[in-house]
Amino acid sequence: MKKVLLGLILLTPFFSFCQINVADSTVQVITYWDKHEKMTYDIATSKATVKGNDTTYTQKVKFKVDIEVLDSTATSYTIQWKFKDYASLLSDESAEIQANLYNGLTIEFTTDELGTFDKLLNWKEIKEHNERVFSELKGKTNSQEVLVKMLRQKFSSQQAIEEHSIKEVQYFHSFHGVGMKEGEVVEENVSRDTFIGKSVQSDITLELTEIDYENSTYIIKYWEDFEGEGVVNLIGSMFPNYKEKIENSIGDDMSLNDFMGANMHESGWPLYLVYERTLSFNENHMYFEQCTISLEE
């Protein structure tokens, strides 16, 4: 049951919000990108379950993405991501499927003039790419057939593709639009809408921790702590027939926490970015997810 829950309660990680002003120690996270400008990034993702002293990785992959600014106007950017060199560090039957889904995948989307994510442009092409992969895997092992069936449902619509195919893009653009002073801490309690129409309360903290004037870079960090009882109630509303069993198995000390930190260049390109999610059922049982994005050297 918990494996099913993990896949469903991962709430979309937050909000989308440079220029460094030396005079008053402020930063405005803005994209100053030229048409046809290109960058390549290394991305690594991992998912693990921790029980006591035992850590079991359920996903550990790395890949590269070539990013190109296709168009630049006074009010928007059109950006393309091309995925390549996907490799799983674990040996399991899902690795081949995941590799085929990522390798050769192209994502095109727009942002506003600040670099805040706007909309996905080519979801139909992504769906066609995924369908070609699923068709090529038809007739493989029974267990792969089951995985393919599940993934086909997962990527069956525009909404599903936007929820599952562009996570890394959303991480990449999360801080764009933010304006803060060095050392400033912003704290707020917010209500987050979820994909099932329910909301959950969370406390967010945003901080500009450091400005490196010599190298024109800065470090910005974000924390979000979801209210435990609200998360439990959310899960229970998703599985009403199992609500009591879920509440008893999770316990009162359940917590869900997000963290994101980035070392940004004043041009708006991240040098390094990390996203982490920790879901604790109790002090001895935890789920951990991490994604790192670093500029290729």
Side-chain angles (χ1 to χ4, degrees):
M1 170 61 73
K2 285 183 178 177
K3 288 184 179 179
V4 176
L5 298 179
L6 291 176
L8 291 173
I9 67 174
L10 297 184
L11 313 172
T12 300
F14 53 73
F15 66 138
S16 296
F17 275 78
C18 148
Q19 185 177 20
I20 299 174
N21 189 322
V22 178
D24 58 5
S25 299
T26 61
V27 162
Q28 180 72 38
V29 189
I30 298 175
T31 46
Y32 292 101
W33 299 346
D34 296 323
K35 186 175 180 179
H36 300 312
E37 188 171 356
K38 298 179 181 180
M39 293 288 181
T40 297
Y41 283 83
D42 294 302
I43 301 179
T45 65
S46 60
K47 297 179 182 180
T49 299
V50 180
K51 290 186 178 181
N53 296 322
D54 297 327
T55 300
T56 302
Y57 282 94
T58 57
Q59 184 185 82
K60 205 170 186 181
V61 302
K62 61 181 181 179
F63 52 93
K64 293 180 182 291
V65 61
D66 292 327
I67 301 176
E68 180 178 359
V69 180
L70 298 179
D71 195 19
S72 173
T73 72
T75 59
S76 68
Y77 291 93
T78 302
I79 301 170
Q80 180 186 79
W81 279 35
K82 287 188 174 182
F83 293 80
K84 63 182 184 180
D85 298 342
Y86 183 97
S88 174
L89 305 182
L90 302 178
S91 297
D92 57 49
E93 290 193 317
S94 66
E96 179 186 0
I97 300 175
Q98 295 288 349
N100 289 335
L101 285 172
Y102 272 87
N103 284 327
L105 175 66
T106 297
I107 293 176
E108 294 183 2
F109 60 94
T110 57
T111 73
D112 64 13
E113 70 275 16
L114 304 180
T116 303
F117 180 84
D118 179 28
K119 63 181 178 180
L120 179 65
L121 298 176
N122 67 326
W123 72 269
K124 291 182 179 179
E125 287 81 2
I126 294 172
K127 183 178 180 180
E128 290 172 359
H129 166 82
N130 293 339
E131 283 298 327
R132 284 195 298 270
V133 171
F134 298 144
S135 296
E136 290 169 1
L137 292 168
K138 191 174 182 179
K140 299 273 185 172
T141 64
N142 289 335
S143 55
Q144 275 200 342
E145 287 281 6
V146 173
L147 285 170
V148 167
K149 184 177 180 180
M150 292 173 61
L151 288 170
R152 182 173 265 127
Q153 293 175 343
K154 188 176 181 180
F155 297 104
S156 61
S157 65
Q158 179 179 356
Q159 181 180 359
I161 288 171
E162 290 175 347
E163 288 177 358
H164 299 293
S165 293
I166 59 172
K167 275 186 177 182
E168 292 83 10
V169 170
Q170 291 173 329
Y171 299 154
F172 194 90
H173 289 271
S174 291
F175 289 117
H176 289 96
V178 168
M180 297 187 70
K181 287 187 176 181
E182 184 177 15
E184 181 181 4
V185 178
V186 175
E187 297 178 327
E188 187 176 354
N189 180 267
V190 298
S191 179
R192 292 285 184 209
D193 293 328
T194 67
F195 62 91
I196 64 169
K198 301 286 184 177
S199 61
V200 61
Q201 296 293 123
S202 65
D203 294 313
I204 64 170
T205 303
L206 183 67
E207 182 177 5
L208 177 64
T209 60
E210 180 184 336
I211 300 176
D212 183 342
Y213 298 101
E214 182 177 352
N215 294 305
S216 301
T217 62
Y218 54 93
I219 296 174
I220 190 166
K221 298 179 180 179
Y222 172 90
W223 297 262
E224 182 162 11
D225 300 324
F226 294 90
E227 189 264 317
E229 183 179 352
V231 175
V232 174
N233 290 336
L234 172 65
I235 298 171
S237 66
M238 293 161 59
F239 301 94
N241 294 335
Y242 299 93
K243 187 175 188 298
E244 184 175 351
K245 185 176 181 179
I246 290 169
E247 292 175 346
N248 292 335
S249 64
I250 289 177
D252 297 330
D253 52 351
M254 176 183 175
S255 63
L256 177 63
N257 312 102
D258 280 350
F259 168 76
M260 179 171 281
N263 184 5
M264 303 285 297
H265 188 266
E266 68 173 357
S267 61
W269 291 105
L271 303 180
Y272 178 80
L273 183 147
V274 58
Y275 165 75
E276 296 176 346
R277 166 159 288 178
T278 304
L279 173 62
S280 297
F281 294 106
N282 52 58
E283 62 182 8
N284 295 313
H285 188 186
M286 180 183 74
Y287 170 84
F288 179 75
E289 177 180 347
Q290 183 186 70
C291 176
T292 62
I293 303 175
S294 55
L295 183 64
E296 186 180 61
E297 297 182 357

